[in-house]
Amino acid sequence: MAIDASIPDPSILLDLLEAFRRSKTLFAAVSLGVFDLLGTADATVAQLAQKIDANTDALERLLDSCVGLGLLNKADGVYSNTKMANYYLLSTSSKRMTGYINYSNNVMWPMWGKLEDAVREGTHRWQQCYGLDGPIFSHFFRDEEAKREFLMGMHGFGVISSPQVVAALDLSRFKCLADLGGATGHLAIAACERYSAMRAIVFDLPVALPLAQEIVGQSSVASRIELVGGDFFSDPLPAADLYALGRILHDWSEDKIRLLLKRIFDALPSQGGVLIAEKLLLEDKTGPRWAQMQSLNMLTCTEGKERTLSEYELLLKEAGFVNVTGCRTNSPLDATLAVKP
């Protein structure tokens, strides 16, 4: 039977109708502790159901779906983690993304459910979902364990992205990089690993520094990295000839971006630079999909959005920077570099 060529292919719609189900499958499996249990020993569905206190038939459907998604293996009725799951989905892994996955499930999922209202009003959904005006993270990370897990989830992103960001453009002429809002120090570590003559400073709020000290201390370049506590909007910036902003600018309004870029410009020596690590939208904003989805995420969760290279160039030149260069990577973040004359 011939296929009617006049009928559009619905495969894109069918995929999108199912996409949220795939995300929730991952979220539920992490939340229930499936990967942690299988990280200890392979198991049957009956064994896992007893440990999780779950319905056996329902859990089997979840586990088999995880097999279909490439998260688990199954042989003769016994389930085991894939190598990827052991690397990113175990709460004991130093490269884990479980904190960010749980944050996506518990915090962002309800706000994305209000996307229509965010589009109508042009503002994040913290007040609507949680009765909070912000700041967006402090209310959800009052206890040390939750804060640590979220930061380690972001660290998982950093391990993927930071080596590509520091390799995208030649940074060898810079002697000291100060990563503002540097979290666990993944960008500082990647920069010092790539550039043997470079020193680095991780500058973040004092509450973030203990975990940064732990992560940096385990690296091979710990002797070249310093930790400094402070708020980049109000406290003096540490002296450096290269400032890095990784997943920072997309959180904020243009007024706050202008304030931060001006502070950086004033602190830099001549020929110093600023390195922005954000995913760049295409100039017509029709892609890439990761940047588009992140921009919608910023709409629901923050004051900010993702931008094109020309939009960053406008903000940078307004602050006094020149020689703006952008480079796309194969990671969740791209690299943009600008120089103080």
Side-chain angles (χ1 to χ4, degrees):
M1 184 176 183
I3 298 175
D4 187 345
S6 67
I7 299 176
D9 182 357
S11 57
I12 293 176
L13 294 178
L14 296 176
D15 180 72
L16 291 173
L17 282 169
E18 190 197 51
F20 81 93
R21 302 178 188 182
R22 298 196 295 268
S23 296
K24 190 62 178 180
T25 299
L26 166 65
F27 296 167
V30 170
S31 178
L32 290 168
V34 167
F35 302 104
D36 280 341
L37 288 171
L38 291 176
T40 302
D42 299 349
T44 64
V45 64
Q47 292 168 330
L48 288 170
Q50 184 176 21
K51 292 179 180 179
I52 294 173
D53 190 23
N55 176 275
T56 302
D57 176 69
L59 180 60
E60 184 176 35
R61 296 188 221 179
L62 179 70
L63 296 174
D64 288 341
S65 297
C66 287
V67 174
L69 293 174
L71 305 175
L72 295 178
N73 299 313
K74 182 181 182 181
D76 299 324
V78 176
Y79 296 90
S80 62
N81 284 341
T82 62
K83 182 178 179 180
M84 185 275 297
N86 280 331
Y87 198 82
Y88 293 115
L89 300 180
L90 292 187
S91 63
T92 54
S93 171
S94 63
K95 307 298 190 298
R96 64 188 178 273
M97 299 180 71
T98 52
Y100 194 75
I101 289 169
N102 285 326
Y103 177 75
S104 299
N105 188 29
N106 299 328
V107 180
M108 294 201 308
W109 185 273
M111 289 196 288
W112 269 82
K114 306 296 185 183
L115 180 59
E116 297 92 334
D117 294 332
V119 170
R120 290 188 186 101
E121 299 175 23
T123 56
H124 62 68
R125 298 295 94 195
W126 287 89
Q127 181 64 42
Q128 183 178 17
C129 291
Y130 304 111
L132 302 172
D133 293 322
I136 59 175
F137 299 125
S138 61
H139 295 280
F140 286 89
F141 304 113
R142 290 193 185 100
D143 68 88
E144 191 63 29
E145 182 180 356
K147 179 185 68 181
R148 178 185 176 89
E149 281 309 297
F150 176 78
L151 289 172
M152 285 303 299
M154 299 302 290
H155 180 73
F157 272 106
V159 169
I160 295 169
S161 301
S162 289
Q164 292 203 46
V165 167
V166 299
L169 299 160
D170 183 8
L171 307 177
S172 60
R173 67 184 183 275
F174 299 108
K175 303 304 180 186
C176 181
L177 175 148
D179 188 12
L180 306 183
T184 58
H186 48 81
L187 183 67
I189 292 169
C192 287
E193 286 177 342
R194 183 169 182 85
Y195 303 103
S196 60
M198 183 177 285
R199 295 184 302 106
I201 300 166
V202 177
F203 185 81
D204 211 325
L205 298 173
V207 295
L209 294 186
L211 182 56
Q213 180 66 64
E214 179 183 329
I215 299 296
V216 170
Q218 295 169 357
S219 75
S220 62
V221 292
S223 63
R224 289 190 277 131
I225 299 177
E226 178 185 359
L227 307 181
V228 178
D231 183 329
F232 50 60
F233 280 123
S234 57
D235 293 322
L237 301 182
D241 63 346
L242 177 64
Y243 289 100
L245 296 166
R247 300 187 74 175
I248 299 295
L249 296 188
H250 73 172
D251 287 339
W252 303 106
S253 66
E254 292 201 353
D255 286 344
K256 289 183 179 177
I257 291 174
R258 290 186 181 98
L259 170 63
L260 183 53
L261 291 179
K262 185 64 167 63
R263 299 194 85 224
I264 291 171
F265 185 87
D266 290 343
L268 278 171
S270 176
Q271 298 304 305
V274 59
L275 175 67
I276 297 170
E278 303 280 10
K279 200 65 179 175
L280 295 171
L281 285 163
L282 298 177
E283 288 301 320
D284 64 1
K285 301 186 180 181
T286 58
R289 186 175 68 186
W290 180 278
Q292 294 169 322
M293 295 299 101
Q294 186 70 298
S295 199
L296 284 176
N297 194 51
M298 294 299 100
L299 172 63
T300 63
C301 299
T302 75
E303 302 174 20
K305 63 181 180 179
E306 306 306 307
R307 293 174 171 83
T308 66
L309 178 59
S310 63
E311 287 175 326
Y312 279 120
E313 185 174 20
L314 187 64
L315 289 165
L316 287 161
K317 288 186 173 179
E318 183 181 322
F321 290 97
V322 297
N323 300 335
V324 180
T325 304
C327 185
R328 299 186 186 278
T329 77
N330 293 321
S331 80
L333 296 177
D334 297 323
T336 300
L337 179 67
V339 177
K340 178 176 179 175

